[in-house]
Amino acid sequence: MRRILLAMSLTLHDVSAEQAVMTWLIPDLPPISIRSNDKPGAGIIDKEIAYVAAHWPEVEHRFVYANLKRSWAMLKAGLPACYSFALINPERLKVAYIVETGMLPPLHLLARSEVAGALPLTRQEVDLPLLLSMHELHGLISEKRSFGKPLDNMLRQRPADASLTLTTINNYGETIFSMMLLKRVDYTIDYDFILSYYQSRNHKLAGVRSFPIANNVEPVKFGFACPKTAWGKATARKIDGILGTRDGAQAMRHSVEAWLSQDTRRRYADQFGVFYRRRETPMLPLDGP
């Protein structure tokens, strides 16, 4: 990891007062991001980055695809780059300035249909703590990924011998679904619209089902995370100012809702409305560390 960070530091510019380069760290997670010739395509954060870039033409925008572990290691090392899809939690706010860009519906448990009958369900909702105590089913999720406060707490409190593996693989959405088809993984945690995206590309995934998780009903906030340095603070404020307009808020909302079903948009319309009205003005505090 140290050699990776050193190599990256040689390719990222240490920009001070006059910034010349904006480097974006991007995960492989369609349709959150859809990689096209090593550049952002038509995914949610791709559209958000494109909006910022269009309103910040004075700098060169560069794109580095990296897994979560590598991206957060770079932020903690203070390298001048911003991670483009950070779910917000107290731990991350301690190590990064995070510019809120959007909201997503709660994550679901995605399981192979063959094991659905073994899931601990109440009113078709999964009891995740109970599932994590079961050894007959094997789960796989991405290391360093946040799933929102309720799920993060459940995962943190899982038994030491829980049959759950954490992985650092790139393109973890596609890879985990492939492992589910091979019956090497029984379940994962992700957004149901991500499952829908992959099901539209591979009919064999029709056998993977989506289940709500009990006590996990609030939408999840996400945004751009920049390092806790003078560069990171200035960059976060610049991005926050670009997004803090009615046009910026509408662009951020459309980037998300374009991928959601009508039912989902209707279910969370009030919460989304409150968030994106706030997004019409800069959201970062004027003072603070």
Side-chain angles (χ1 to χ4, degrees):
M1 179 59 70
R2 178 177 292 180
R3 281 185 289 181
I4 291 175
L5 293 177
L6 177 61
M8 290 302 303
S9 69
L10 297 177
T11 62
L12 300 178
H13 292 261
D14 184 10
V15 183
S16 53
E18 295 186 4
Q19 181 165 333
V21 175
M22 176 62 217
T23 300
W24 299 93
L25 304 175
I26 306 175
D28 262 329
L29 184 59
I32 298 293
S33 64
I34 301 177
R35 190 172 180 174
S36 178
N37 297 320
D38 287 329
K39 292 184 178 180
I44 291 174
I45 58 176
D46 301 331
K47 296 295 187 182
E48 295 182 347
I49 291 172
Y51 183 89
V52 173
H55 291 78
W56 195 6
E58 302 85 5
V59 302
E60 176 188 354
H61 294 266
R62 295 181 181 176
F63 314 106
V64 175
Y65 284 85
N67 64 36
L68 285 170
K69 188 173 183 179
R70 178 183 174 194
S71 294
W72 281 101
M74 291 169 64
L75 291 184
K76 290 178 180 178
L79 296 181
C82 296
Y83 179 55
S84 55
F85 183 57
L87 267 63
I88 300 169
N89 62 34
E91 292 76 15
R92 289 180 171 181
L93 289 171
K94 292 177 182 178
V95 299
Y97 297 105
I98 301 181
V99 181
E100 296 183 18
T101 60
M103 295 184 79
L104 291 169
L107 292 100
H108 282 203
L109 188 103
L110 310 180
R112 296 192 300 112
S113 58
E114 298 96 320
V115 305
L119 295 175
L121 298 176
T122 302
R123 296 186 296 276
Q124 291 304 302
E125 292 183 338
V126 176
D127 183 331
L128 184 59
L130 182 55
L131 174 61
L132 293 171
S133 70
M134 299 167 57
H135 295 96
E136 56 269 34
L137 298 180
H138 180 216
L140 180 64
I141 61 174
S142 175
E143 184 182 13
K144 299 296 183 182
R145 185 176 178 184
S146 174
F147 297 94
K149 186 176 180 180
L151 295 188
D152 286 347
N153 288 338
M154 294 180 203
L155 291 168
R156 192 178 299 115
Q157 296 169 15
R158 69 187 184 276
D161 61 348
S163 185
L164 178 71
T165 300
L166 277 60
T167 179
T168 60
I169 53 178
N170 285 313
N171 202 0
Y172 49 84
E174 182 175 12
T175 301
I176 292 176
F177 288 134
S178 296
M179 294 176 70
M180 293 176 80
L181 288 177
L182 295 172
K183 300 183 180 181
R184 294 170 58 188
V185 174
D186 295 312
Y187 68 87
T188 188
I189 296 173
D190 220 318
Y191 300 100
D192 57 0
F193 68 87
I194 288 182
L195 173 61
S196 297
Y197 171 83
Y198 280 108
Q199 286 176 330
S200 71
R201 297 165 62 88
N202 186 345
H203 70 278
K204 294 181 180 179
L205 287 172
V208 178
R209 296 175 57 187
S210 175
F211 297 88
I213 300 172
N215 301 312
N216 181 55
V217 297
E218 293 299 317
V220 180
K221 294 180 182 179
F222 69 95
F224 300 137
C226 303
K228 274 286 180 83
T229 63
W231 179 94
K233 186 175 185 178
T235 300
R237 290 197 184 285
K238 174 67 177 180
I239 295 171
D240 190 44
I242 291 172
L243 299 184
T245 64
R246 177 168 294 184
D247 182 64
Q250 290 177 346
M252 296 304 99
R253 184 168 189 168
H254 179 72
S255 72
V256 172
E257 292 193 342
W259 292 97
L260 304 181
S261 68
Q262 280 191 332
D263 286 343
T264 299
R265 291 198 300 269
R266 191 181 309 113
R267 186 178 303 124
Y268 297 103
D270 291 344
Q271 289 145 299
F272 277 39
V274 170
F275 175 85
Y276 289 106
R277 282 192 293 273
R278 285 185 59 231
R279 183 60 280 180
E280 291 179 2
T281 58
M283 297 174 71
L284 288 178
L286 295 177
D287 52 8

